[in-house]
Amino acid sequence: MLVRFESDQGNITMFRDVAVMLLRMMGQSGGVPGALLGKDIPPALERLKRAVATHQDAPPQAASEENDHAPVSTRQRAFPLIELLTRAAAEDCDVIWREERPYRG
């Protein structure tokens, strides 16, 4: 399942488990859908930045035939959301998030 974050400053989509983890780091419930008003973004952004800076990722597992890619850190996963929130805070824009539904045409 995917979660889409939308703002007048841009949109991003990420896997639901990652989105919920980052929302909780921001001090949110982790519920989808949800929203932040522009005035509430700066403190949420600071909580997210602090949480990401202190978060300890699990040690990387050895590569196998099924898993030959490099692990992605929480800091890397959070980067697009931090950028979106930074831009939204600068322009006092709201940010909403909701489940991304696949197109079935």
Side-chain angles (χ1 to χ4, degrees):
M1 204 62 70
L2 299 173
V3 174
R4 183 173 179 87
F5 291 85
E6 299 176 355
S7 170
D8 289 344
Q9 296 301 305
N11 304 314
I12 60 168
T13 302
M14 61 180 57
F15 290 112
R16 183 183 180 93
D17 59 334
V18 174
V20 168
M21 176 185 68
L22 296 177
L23 286 167
R24 289 186 176 148
M25 287 179 166
M26 291 167 41
Q28 301 298 304
S29 69
V32 177
L36 274 174
L37 298 175
K39 67 180 179 67
D40 297 326
I41 293 174
L45 176 59
E46 286 307 310
R47 282 191 295 273
L48 177 60
K49 286 179 178 179
R50 279 195 311 271
V52 167
T54 61
H55 183 74
Q56 294 292 325
D57 288 311
Q61 297 176 347
S64 66
E65 285 186 25
E66 299 86 30
N67 183 16
D68 62 350
H69 57 278
V72 179
S73 70
T74 300
R75 183 179 308 256
Q76 291 168 314
R77 292 181 190 277
F79 180 79
L81 182 57
I82 290 171
E83 288 297 307
L84 176 64
L85 292 172
T86 300
R87 291 193 311 268
E91 297 296 324
D92 195 30
C93 296
D94 303 338
V95 174
I96 65 167
W97 54 92
R98 60 189 166 130
E99 185 178 325
E100 179 79 357
R101 303 258 178 188
Y103 176 72
R104 299 180 193 238

